[in-house]
Amino acid sequence: MAEIKYKRILLKLSGEAFKGATGYGIDIPTVRSIAHEIKHICLMGVEVAIVVGGGNIWRGATAAKEGIDRVSADYAGMLATIINALTLQDALEREGIVTRTQSALAVQQVAEPYIRRRAIRHLEKGRVVIFAGGTGNPYMTTDTAAALRAIEIEANVLLMAKNKVDGVYTADPKKHPEATLFQHLTHMEAINKRLQVMDATALSLCLDNKLPIIVFDLQSSESLVSAISGQPIGTLISSES
Ligand code: UDP
């Protein structure tokens, strides 16, 4: 079995990851296969926290362009992340992994409130913790929530799972086939080059707190295991040049 390099991780799953081949919403077999991959690393002894996005269901900024009040649209987006979180929790529990969902918005019938010390306790007991509701504030993203929660729980790495993109490229590889993959970047390079890794707030939080980030393709086989065991995969963004 591969050695663990990162004992405690924060995995960011964007809403896109839940869509599978469907254009919108949640594809249950896709969620189950993600849960299966997560189970592998749990069994290796990794402490796993997850931040889920909601873009497969709702994006505040897009809804606002169609005339919905931005703040209400953002709260709807945060609720969308809770739907994804509950689906993922179900899939993980079907795999036999004890899971707790903590939400930044109060939804006490379905999830615990976000309590940092309690989240850490769950992780220490080997439970997967899913953070739902983003940061709980409008005008923010779940990337920022991922950076923030990773720092709060003292995760050793932030894993940014992408869909069919295996890291950070010089340009969008779907539009520019000549684009090349960065194997390593510093946080500052990623900010200065304005690369599409995550939003600037999230990236600067990682920079300030020297939190390494691995951007990788969740769909390529065993990619999570490779990432947690420190094998070269995707793009590593760290403070060392
Ligand atoms: N959102 C928000 N505050 C947060 C996190 C999310 O207002 O702290 C809203 C925002 O409207 C966003 C939506 O929730 O568009 C879904 O989150 P995001 O776009 O980050 O999801 P992803 O792109 O990861 O699927």
Side-chain angles (χ1 to χ4, degrees):
M1 198 179 264
E3 294 260 313
I4 298 171
K5 177 167 182 192
Y6 303 107
K7 173 72 180 151
R8 180 175 293 166
I9 64 152
L10 188 305
L11 173 65
K12 163 72 205 292
L13 292 175
S14 68
E16 292 282 311
F18 290 73
K19 272 197 319 198
T22 59
Y24 172 83
I26 299 174
D27 179 53
I28 301 293
T30 301
V31 181
R32 294 218 173 129
S33 93
I34 295 173
H36 192 71
E37 294 300 316
I38 294 170
K39 178 187 180 174
H40 274 171
I41 59 167
C42 291
L43 295 181
M44 289 168 75
V46 178
E47 295 176 4
V48 182
I50 304 168
V51 165
V52 288
N56 53 323
I57 301 171
W58 186 271
R59 278 189 200 285
T62 313
K65 274 189 200 137
E66 292 184 36
I68 294 180
D69 167 65
R70 173 67 194 257
V71 174
S72 302
D74 277 342
Y75 277 110
M78 290 181 250
L79 293 174
T81 71
I82 297 170
I83 297 174
N84 284 336
L86 295 182
T87 316
L88 181 62
Q89 173 162 29
D90 178 89
L92 283 165
E93 293 199 326
R94 275 168 199 272
E95 292 281 343
I97 302 294
V98 181
T99 307
R100 296 286 186 271
T101 300
Q102 291 203 343
S103 172
L105 292 182
V107 279
Q108 61 194 19
Q109 283 81 358
V110 294
E112 294 179 2
Y114 172 62
I115 300 172
R116 172 180 172 263
R117 293 169 69 110
R118 197 160 169 184
I120 291 173
R121 191 80 192 103
H122 288 320
L123 293 169
E124 286 169 350
K125 286 187 172 173
R127 298 168 183 153
V128 168
V129 180
I130 304 175
F131 294 121
T135 63
N137 301 296
Y139 296 100
M140 308 288 253
T141 65
T142 52
D143 285 357
T144 300
L148 181 64
R149 296 290 184 248
I151 293 159
E152 287 186 85
I153 63 163
E154 296 175 6
N156 307 117
V157 69
L158 169 53
L159 300 181
M160 293 290 293
K162 298 281 172 189
N163 258 349
K164 297 193 183 122
V165 184
D166 58 352
V168 182
Y169 280 77
T170 47
D172 181 351
K174 287 177 184 150
K175 292 184 196 146
H176 304 272
E178 73 288 357
T180 53
L181 176 80
F182 290 106
Q183 284 183 329
H184 178 255
L185 284 164
T186 62
H187 296 102
M188 201 43 110
E189 282 167 342
I191 292 172
N192 289 344
K193 290 179 198 285
R194 294 179 195 279
L195 297 166
Q196 303 289 311
V197 183
M198 49 170 51
D199 63 74
T201 314
L203 206 45
S204 17
L205 267 175
C206 297
L207 165 79
D208 289 347
N209 294 280
K210 297 191 169 56
L211 176 67
I213 307 163
I214 299 175
V215 184
F216 71 106
D217 182 8
L218 185 65
Q219 295 197 5
S220 86
S221 127
E222 305 246 305
S223 58
L224 256 184
V225 173
S226 304
I228 60 102
S229 46
Q231 291 166 31
I233 181 171
T235 303
L236 170 68
I237 304 171
S238 68
S239 43
E240 293 95 43
S241 55

